[in-house]
Amino acid sequence: MSRFFATGSDSESEESSSADEITPKATGTTFTKQVLLLSDDEEDTKRVVRSAKDKRFEELTNLIKTIRNAMKIRDMSKCLEEFEQLCRAFVKSKNIVDKEGVPKFYIRLLADLEDYLNQLWEDKEGKKKMNKNNAKALSTLRQKIRKYNRDYETEIANYKENPDQSAEEEEEKDEAESGSSSESDDEGAEEATAKSFLKKEPVPDASKFLKGAVDDESDSDDDEDDEDWGSDAVDSSSESIEGDGTSLAKAFLKKQEDGDRQPERKKEKRKPKQRLERTEEEEAEDLQDEEQGWEKVKGGVPLVKEKPKMFAKGTEINTAVVVKKLNEILQARGKKGTDRAAQIELLHALAAIAAENNLGEGILVKIKFNIIASLYDYNPNLAAFMKADMWKKCLDCIDELLDILFNNNNNIFIGENIAEDSENLAVSDQPFRVRGCILTLVERMDEEFTKIMQNTDPHSQEYVDNLKDEARVCAIIDRLLGYLEAKGSTEEVCRVYLRRIMHTYYKFDYKAHRRSLGLQGGESKSEQDQEESEGEDSAVIMDRLCKFIYAKDRTDRIRTCAILCHIYHHALHSRWYQARDLMLMSHLQDNIQHADPPVQILYNRTMVQLGICAFRQGMIKDAHNALLDIQSSGRAKELLGQGLLMRNMQERNAEQEKIEKRRQVPFHMHINLELLECVYLVSAMLLEIPYMAAHEFDARRRMISKQFHHQLRVGERQPLLGPPESMREHVVAASKAMKMGDWRTCHGFIINEKMNSKVWDLFPEAQRVREMLVRKIQEESLRTYLFTYSSVYDSISMEILSEMFELELPTVHSIISKMIINEELMASLDQPTQTVVMHRTEPTPLQNMALQLAEKLGGLVENNERVFDLKQGVYGGYFNRDQKGGYQQKQGYQREGGGYQQKQGYHRDQKGGYQQKQNYQRGGGYQRGGGYNNQNQSNY
């Protein structure tokens, strides 16, 4: 081809000829192609003239194509950027749009983009995997598209009602435009093909309708050809490429015949009839194909890869061949692009082949080990949990593996220390030797069960269904326990014992509890005997397993966990003294801070359960001390592993949050936090209110419970005091009543229908706990009454106190005697008259204020002098001047014989200075810790 082949003006030919003269000649073909391409480009640039409409619409179609590409790769930042450009380009095209109307391809993009964004927004897992920029862009773009689409609601609704019709209209319009442009040069037509490509972007079902877009006159065979993109369309498109200057776009369009097309709706009505007529013929063909080994594939769907054949035809199946095939399958494990589900199916098929050819249990055990490991590897993400079908397969495989091991107990040896070279998998006189650890698989299964429970909504039926699998998990652990007791090492037995303990320690044994209470109403003796024979108590099981670990375990962690679980189980079943003694003897509280977080969570749970047990037994002070550390932190939920508190990102990043979520305790093991807080606050109330009454005027009064005082202050700050609603408000109202010595009102606030349903009915022996609480409230109210009103009485009868607080006379006598012995109450008992005689030794309010003022003034003077000396550069303070003639003053207050005495004297120190000694002493000491003490028992 020469340069004169291209038609053009003289100036163009001159330019090309000058280019010929300058450019050195290469081989003929390359040179002519290069010249031809250059000349064509020049001609196209000058010759193609497009309307404003084409230019604007081409700009829009190019932007839409970019947006769709970004949608495919989930690049939300790119989508947002291109959408903003598209909006600006559409505004520029406003004049054309007003004349022509909003283009269909634009409406289609808006509808598709909105659906796409909504789908992404609902995919919570996908959103979590997005990076920060994409997530932000998704949120912004979603808001923009929703706002933007309000202006086109009618068009979008029409499109969604009939997307195929919109696509067909657009197709006809594009073909008409491409046909008109085919009169121009081939290269010019290439530039205008963006829109025609656009209709190939599939809406979810649009391609299905486009593929069948042919005339109605074709028969059923023609319909099948059209659905499969018949060869006629391809031939015609190839002819159009070779033809005289037709558009390249037509190569990608389906063939349309010149005949008039009937409406799409009629065709759709006719198709079901055609399909019904073909059904019988297709079924017959399918049966025939299946007999011949053929498989029918749906048109338009890519062929699924055929599963690789296990063994070639005629291969002798023996142990070596199966092991080789097993290694081939395992080599692909973990590689990128490996289909994990297909790998599991191949291993199952290999196990079936091995069993079919009777290759022995050794090879079966090895394949089962690898199947279970592949099931665990199905989720590469550590935080992901197994799906229900995989979990069932895993349990079945472990059961099958244990069956094989139990049936061939003396003929199979498994262990991690067996090298692969020394494995014996073939059937022979020697026992099978297989490398693997069944204990590791069961431990992993237990961890997977915990992850499943952690990731299931605890308030759904699915959680209950998953929890039913725990019985099967425990059964597997029991079977493994029996196997390892016979063939395992001591370390392995300790590990499997701990797994069994972890599934037992938190469960209340109602069966044993009923047996301890005796026969219940309506239960016959035979039923009782049958129930007892079902199995041993959980207490006996825990005792046996834990004592074995105490004796045999050499790792601190397993022994620590076993001790904590044992204490928890004792406390749960109200064995307070055994639980307390085991905790004190173990000295776990001394070094628990060095343990790993899961053990610390277990320790916190144990301490909480210990405190609740002490409360049930009436050990109020022990209960308060056990719960103090957990409740005073304000993070009980987090410390017990029952949830995470909201924190700033500076305190905990996303990775740390994931780690902490994996440490959470499943919901069925949770301790009721409201019950825990109520027990703590009631314990604090029973300790704090009498103490506050005894030390009402003590300036140095300490707080037993800060949280309880905080709740009291919150209650005092409320402007309007209505009836209590929450649990905390009930405790605060009860505290105020107890402070006044009104035990009945206090009892009414603590034990009522609302508090019973929220807290007290949750205890196993609820009635006994309520009776204990009433007794404690009566006793502490009596103590508070005596502290508060002792200054009013000269003497008071114990019988009156007994009637007032509904306590037995010996109980009242005991309480008052303890108060007098502990020097909390300045009184004496008159046995003949059964009265309490008050000594009235307590200082009056005025004297209390004077003492407080004197103490505060002394502190103020000392602080001022210390500050003054620091400024002057003299150290030692006012009370310890330097020894060079300075003064020393010692001052104290002492009470003797009920009054105040001042001792004063002067003596001269060795260096000529004077010292003044001044002491105020109060006989017996002004003691607030243990009460008031007056040695001479005299009045002021």
Side-chain angles (χ1 to χ4, degrees):
M1 297 172 66
S2 77
R3 61 191 175 84
F4 299 106
F5 180 80
T7 59
S9 62
D10 295 337
S11 60
E12 289 168 356
S13 60
E14 287 173 6
E15 286 174 7
S16 59
S17 63
S18 61
D20 289 347
E21 292 173 1
I22 294 168
T23 309
K25 262 193 178 183
T27 56
T29 310
T30 310
F31 175 76
T32 51
K33 274 186 182 178
Q34 187 178 7
V35 174
L36 178 61
L37 289 172
L38 286 171
S39 61
D40 285 346
D41 290 340
E42 290 169 5
E43 289 168 6
D44 292 343
T45 306
K46 295 183 179 181
R47 189 160 52 83
V48 174
V49 178
R50 289 178 299 166
S51 64
K53 175 187 171 184
D54 291 342
K55 289 180 182 178
R56 293 298 181 195
F57 279 19
E58 184 184 359
E59 183 182 2
L60 295 176
T61 52
N62 288 336
L63 288 170
I64 288 173
K65 188 174 183 181
T66 311
I67 290 173
R68 288 194 181 276
N69 288 337
M71 286 163 63
K72 288 177 183 176
I73 61 173
R74 292 196 173 194
D75 188 352
M76 291 296 103
S77 302
K78 185 70 174 173
C79 272
L80 177 60
E81 181 185 344
E82 294 297 326
F83 181 71
E84 289 172 349
Q85 288 186 17
L86 181 67
C87 292
R88 288 195 289 270
F90 191 74
V91 170
K92 291 179 185 176
S93 311
K94 190 173 184 305
N95 294 333
I96 297 168
V97 170
D98 291 342
K99 294 179 184 177
E100 303 288 336
V102 182
K104 298 287 183 183
F105 61 82
Y106 191 74
I107 296 298
R108 188 167 81 176
L109 175 83
L110 295 180
D112 291 354
L113 185 57
E114 186 176 13
D115 293 342
Y116 174 76
L117 293 175
N118 289 335
Q119 183 182 354
L120 278 187
W121 188 261
E122 290 170 3
D123 184 11
K124 293 182 180 179
E125 292 297 327
K127 276 202 298 183
K128 286 180 183 177
K129 294 177 183 177
M130 282 186 180
N131 58 35
K132 189 176 179 181
N133 292 336
N134 273 351
K136 188 176 179 182
L138 173 62
S139 177
T140 308
L141 184 55
R142 182 169 171 266
Q143 292 175 357
K144 284 192 174 186
I145 194 72
R146 289 170 70 182
K147 186 177 179 181
Y148 191 81
N149 282 6
R150 288 174 193 163
D151 299 333
Y152 305 100
E153 285 180 353
T154 309
E155 292 87 345
I156 292 174
N158 292 336
Y159 165 73
K160 287 185 176 179
E161 285 176 7
N162 201 355
D164 54 330
Q165 188 177 357
S166 302
E168 289 296 338
E169 289 174 4
E170 186 182 342
E171 183 180 348
E172 290 174 5
K173 186 177 179 181
D174 290 341
E175 283 192 357
E177 289 180 2
S178 62
S180 63
S181 62
S182 64
E183 298 171 0
S184 62
D185 189 76
D186 291 347
E187 297 295 331
E190 273 186 55
E191 296 178 2
T193 57
K195 268 191 291 181
S196 55
F197 281 107
L198 195 68
K199 67 179 186 298
K200 299 300 179 188
E201 295 288 341
V203 197
D205 291 324
S207 59
K208 180 173 69 177
F209 296 101
L210 292 175
K211 286 175 186 174
V214 293
D215 56 333
D216 277 339
E217 296 175 0
S218 60
D219 56 2
S220 61
D221 295 330
D222 292 334
D223 285 341
E224 289 179 7
D225 293 340
D226 290 339
E227 287 177 3
D228 294 333
W229 294 73
S231 59
D232 294 341
V234 178
D235 294 340
S236 63
S237 61
S238 61
E239 288 170 7
S240 67
I241 296 172
E242 295 171 1
D244 46 352
T246 52
S247 169
L248 281 175
K250 264 198 163 179
F252 298 94
L253 295 176
K254 297 179 294 300
K255 182 182 175 185
Q256 292 181 355
E257 298 191 9
D258 296 330
D260 295 330
R261 298 172 60 192
Q262 294 188 359
E264 187 73 21
R265 291 178 185 174
K266 290 183 180 178
K267 186 188 70 175
E268 285 179 1
K269 288 178 183 177
R270 214 168 61 112
K271 272 190 175 180
K273 294 180 182 178
Q274 295 173 356
R275 286 175 184 165
L276 288 171
E277 291 170 2
R278 294 204 310 262
T279 308
E280 296 178 0
E281 296 176 5
E282 286 179 356
E283 286 178 358
E285 288 176 4
D286 290 344
L287 289 172
Q288 187 178 354
D289 290 342
E290 283 176 8
E291 290 172 2
Q292 296 175 0
W294 294 95
E295 183 182 356
K296 186 171 182 180
V297 181
K298 293 182 180 179
V301 179
L303 286 172
V304 180
K305 245 185 181 180
E306 189 181 347
K307 290 182 183 178
K309 292 182 180 178
M310 277 292 177
F311 304 104
K313 192 173 182 181
T315 305
E316 183 184 355
I317 308 298
N318 55 32
T319 305
V321 172
V322 172
V323 170
K324 184 180 178 183
K325 176 58 71 174
L326 176 64
N327 291 331
E328 285 179 13
I329 297 171
L330 294 180
Q331 281 174 1
R333 180 178 167 188
K335 289 185 179 179
K336 190 176 180 181
T338 304
D339 187 354
R340 298 183 183 89
Q343 215 177 18
I344 294 168
E345 289 177 11
L346 287 175
L347 289 170
H348 276 294
L350 193 62
I353 291 172
E356 185 181 345
N357 289 274
N358 298 321
L359 297 182
E361 286 76 12
I363 190 68
L364 272 179
V365 169
K366 187 171 181 62
I367 295 172
K368 291 290 182 187
F369 269 124
N370 287 292
I371 289 174
I372 298 168
S374 298
L375 287 169
Y376 291 147
D377 290 347
Y378 188 78
N379 290 323
N381 188 2
L382 188 62
F385 61 99
M386 293 179 78
K387 302 301 178 190
D389 53 343
M390 290 294 174
W391 170 246
K392 299 295 182 190
K393 284 182 184 177
C394 179
L395 292 179
D396 293 339
C397 281
I398 293 176
D399 269 330
E400 290 169 9
L401 180 58
L402 286 171
D403 289 339
I404 296 172
L405 293 177
F406 274 108
N407 293 335
N408 302 272
N409 197 7
N410 299 319
N411 198 31
I412 298 178
F413 291 98
I414 59 173
E416 289 178 310
N417 52 357
I418 298 175
E420 290 189 3
D421 300 337
S422 61
E423 283 184 324
N424 181 24
L425 304 175
V427 179
S428 63
D429 297 336
Q430 299 295 325
F432 296 108
R433 292 171 58 84
V434 183
R435 177 180 173 82
C437 181
I438 181 66
L439 176 58
T440 307
L441 296 180
V442 173
E443 285 180 333
R444 179 69 188 274
M445 173 203 70
D446 196 21
E447 291 167 5
E448 289 293 338
F449 176 71
T450 304
K451 275 200 282 188
I452 289 172
M453 302 310 296
Q454 286 172 342
N455 289 277
T456 308
D457 179 13
H459 306 292
S460 64
Q461 182 61 33
E462 184 185 0
Y463 191 92
V464 179
D465 296 338
N466 290 338
L467 191 56
K468 291 176 184 176
D469 289 335
E470 190 184 17
R472 195 171 174 189
V473 171
C474 290
I476 289 174
I477 293 174
D478 284 334
R479 293 185 69 191
L480 178 64
L481 189 146
Y483 178 78
L484 291 179
E485 281 176 345
K487 303 193 71 172
S489 64
T490 306
E491 183 185 352
E492 289 177 333
V493 172
C494 288
R495 283 165 61 188
V496 74
Y497 273 10
L498 182 62
R499 289 286 165 184
R500 187 68 183 89
I501 288 168
M502 295 299 281
H503 281 280
T504 307
Y505 81 97
Y506 64 90
K507 295 174 183 173
F508 187 82
D509 194 347
Y510 285 97
K511 186 173 63 176
H513 179 63
R514 285 197 297 271
R515 282 204 292 266
S516 66
L517 295 177
L519 291 174
Q520 300 292 323
E523 186 179 8
S524 65
K525 182 66 178 172
S526 59
E527 290 174 351
Q528 175 78 5
D529 293 339
Q530 184 181 358
E531 188 181 8
E532 286 183 358
S533 63
E534 282 179 6
E536 55 185 344
D537 290 348
S538 61
V540 178
I541 297 172
M542 289 288 295
D543 195 58
R544 177 171 58 84
L545 300 181
C546 290
K547 283 183 177 177
F548 182 88
I549 291 177
Y550 300 157
K552 304 289 186 182
D553 180 58
R554 289 174 292 180
T555 62
D556 287 339
R557 189 182 186 281
I558 292 180
R559 186 168 60 252
T560 301
C561 290
I563 291 172
L564 290 172
C565 292
H566 204 180
I567 295 169
Y568 190 105
H569 194 264
H570 279 318
L572 189 64
H573 293 82
S574 300
R575 296 188 287 270
W576 157 250
Y577 291 104
Q578 293 96 313
R580 183 198 63 182
D581 294 344
L582 190 54
M583 175 62 81
L584 293 176
M585 286 190 297
S586 65
H587 296 285
L588 288 177
Q589 60 272 22
D590 298 336
N591 53 11
I592 193 64
Q593 67 271 15
H594 303 301
D596 53 339
V599 178
Q600 290 182 0
I601 289 173
L602 181 57
Y603 174 81
N604 293 338
R605 286 166 52 80
T606 303
M607 287 302 298
V608 163
Q609 200 60 248
L610 203 58
I612 295 173
C613 175
F615 181 82
R616 289 199 302 267
Q617 301 301 313
M619 313 284 184
I620 302 299
K621 194 168 185 179
D622 291 322
H624 181 268
N625 292 337
L627 300 176
L628 180 62
D629 289 337
I630 299 294
Q631 285 298 121
S632 61
S633 66
R635 299 187 300 125
K637 186 178 182 181
E638 192 169 351
L639 292 175
L640 295 175
Q642 296 181 187
L644 299 179
L645 300 177
M646 297 298 293
R647 290 193 185 178
N648 297 330
M649 292 303 291
Q650 290 82 8
E651 297 181 26
R652 178 175 60 208
N653 57 32
E655 191 61 34
Q656 288 174 336
E657 189 169 345
K658 286 180 183 177
I659 293 171
E660 289 186 19
K661 279 183 179 177
R662 288 201 292 271
R663 294 176 185 147
Q664 298 304 298
V665 177
F667 182 77
H668 64 280
M669 298 170 65
H670 281 193
I671 297 170
N672 191 318
L673 294 177
E674 190 174 16
L675 179 143
L676 174 62
E677 187 178 10
C678 181
V679 166
Y680 174 74
L681 289 177
V682 170
S683 302
M685 178 190 77
L686 294 173
L687 294 174
E688 191 80 64
I689 297 299
Y691 180 81
M692 288 168 64
H695 302 82
E696 187 175 359
F697 301 107
D698 192 353
R700 297 180 182 176
R701 183 179 67 200
R702 63 186 179 86
M703 285 189 294
I704 297 175
S705 170
K706 288 184 178 179
Q707 188 182 4
F708 178 72
H709 274 274
H710 173 70
Q711 296 300 332
L712 286 181
R713 285 195 297 270
V714 169
E716 290 170 359
R717 284 200 296 265
Q718 288 181 354
L720 181 63
L721 284 177
E725 295 180 359
S726 67
M727 177 272 299
R728 294 175 182 174
E729 291 176 358
H730 277 87
V731 175
V732 170
S735 304
K736 291 178 180 177
M738 181 182 279
K739 196 184 288 186
M740 304 301 293
D742 186 358
W743 77 271
R744 287 184 180 84
T745 308
C746 177
H747 167 251
F749 283 129
I750 292 295
I751 298 175
N752 52 53
E753 187 176 348
K754 186 181 288 186
M755 290 291 283
N756 285 342
S757 61
K758 280 187 175 181
V759 180
W760 309 125
D761 287 343
L762 301 178
F763 287 116
E765 298 176 6
Q767 188 58 36
R768 192 170 66 83
V769 173
R770 282 193 283 265
E771 290 171 1
M772 178 274 299
L773 262 178
V774 173
R775 182 83 173 184
K776 288 292 179 184
I777 289 171
Q778 289 170 332
E779 293 175 0
E780 295 305 324
S781 297
L782 171 60
R783 283 166 45 82
T784 307
Y785 184 83
L786 290 173
F787 283 134
T788 306
Y789 300 110
S790 61
S791 59
V792 177
Y793 289 98
D794 286 328
S795 64
I796 184 169
S797 171
M798 284 193 287
E799 290 182 3
I800 294 175
L801 291 174
S802 175
E803 291 174 6
M804 188 184 298
F805 293 95
E806 296 183 8
L807 289 169
E808 300 84 359
L809 194 60
T811 306
V812 175
H813 186 279
S814 171
I815 292 170
I816 294 174
S817 300
K818 284 180 184 176
M819 292 173 69
I820 293 172
I821 291 169
N822 293 331
E823 299 178 351
E824 294 174 340
L825 184 66
M826 295 300 107
S828 58
L829 287 173
D830 188 8
Q831 291 289 350
T833 59
Q834 291 290 309
T835 57
V836 183
V837 180
M838 302 297 174
H839 291 163
R840 306 292 298 276
T841 58
E842 285 77 13
T844 64
L846 182 61
Q847 289 168 335
N848 273 316
M849 291 174 67
L851 287 172
Q852 291 179 23
L853 181 61
E855 289 178 3
K856 289 180 180 177
L857 285 174
L860 182 63
V861 170
E862 185 179 353
N863 289 335
N864 286 342
E865 287 300 324
R866 189 177 290 114
V867 171
F868 179 76
D869 286 342
L870 286 173
K871 286 184 178 178
Q872 297 297 322
V874 180
Y875 299 95
Y878 174 71
F879 297 102
N880 189 16
R881 290 270 182 173
D882 57 359
Q883 300 298 320
K884 299 180 180 179
Y887 287 89
Q888 274 191 335
Q889 183 180 9
K890 292 184 180 178
Q891 194 171 15
Y893 294 92
Q894 208 173 22
R895 181 180 174 186
E896 291 184 358
Y900 289 97
Q901 188 179 18
Q902 183 176 3
K903 293 182 180 179
Q904 192 169 7
Y906 294 89
H907 72 273
R908 187 173 180 179
D909 64 0
Q910 297 176 358
K911 296 187 179 180
Y914 286 89
Q915 274 188 327
Q916 181 182 10
K917 288 186 177 179
Q918 191 173 10
N919 295 308
Y920 296 91
Q921 289 183 341
R922 183 180 179 184
Y926 182 59
Q927 299 175 355
R928 305 304 288 181
Y932 298 95
N933 182 18
N934 187 343
Q935 292 177 354
N936 298 324
Q937 294 185 354
S938 61
N939 297 327
Y940 281 93

